[in-house]
Amino acid sequence: MAVVVLDDCAFTTAILKSLAGARGEREVATFTEPRSALSYLERNRALLIIADCSMPEMDGLEFTRAVREQELHRDTPVVMVSGVEDPAIPRMAAEAGASAFVAKPVNMARFKALVTEIIERGRRPAA
């Protein structure tokens, strides 16, 4: 199983891949287009899904709802990331099915700790 990273910005995707991959200890599949990520998830079980909230064509909220419709990923942890400064977004992410929310710019140490908590302890992060 891989960690799936989705962000329409290739640079951000590369950063999130580096943080989530634990220096090569975990496989990470990256995508810059939501439909490609959904197609991958239809065929592959993910360990964790990290998705940007603001993307063209399909935003992260819509993407997360589509992930939750897949039998394979009803319970897969989803971390939503967003650089939009709207206090409603974390609530909207949770309502869409996200397990956790991280504001951009991502604090690297906190993000790594969150990923570790979710993956290695096999649970949703503490609120």
Side-chain angles (χ1 to χ4, degrees):
M1 288 191 286
V3 173
V4 171
V5 175
L6 167 65
D7 195 302
D8 60 312
C9 174
F11 179 72
T12 303
T13 301
I15 292 170
L16 295 175
K17 176 183 180 179
S18 175
L19 294 173
R23 297 186 182 181
E25 294 176 15
R26 291 183 203 102
E27 179 184 350
V28 180
T30 61
F31 300 89
T32 56
E33 205 284 314
R35 298 206 189 282
S36 297
L38 284 173
S39 178
Y40 173 87
L41 290 168
E42 287 174 0
R43 301 180 315 277
N44 300 280
R45 180 175 290 281
L47 187 61
L48 167 66
I49 300 165
I50 301 165
D52 183 27
C53 187
S54 301
M55 296 180 287
E57 294 181 36
M58 175 187 285
D59 67 24
L61 302 171
E62 187 180 356
F63 171 81
T64 300
R65 288 196 271 306
V67 165
R68 292 299 182 221
E69 290 176 4
Q70 295 180 354
E71 182 67 33
L72 198 58
H73 296 291
R74 281 207 165 83
D75 298 318
T76 303
V78 175
V79 175
M80 179 83 56
V81 294
S82 179
V84 177
E85 293 185 24
D86 180 343
I89 290 181
R91 176 189 48 78
M92 293 166 51
E95 289 171 355
S99 311
F101 178 84
V102 176
K104 291 180 182 176
V106 173
N107 176 299
M108 290 189 274
R110 287 188 194 146
F111 187 79
K112 283 180 173 182
L114 176 65
V115 168
T116 298
E117 181 178 359
I118 292 171
I119 292 174
E120 294 181 3
R121 295 187 180 95
R123 61 186 171 101
R124 288 179 180 247

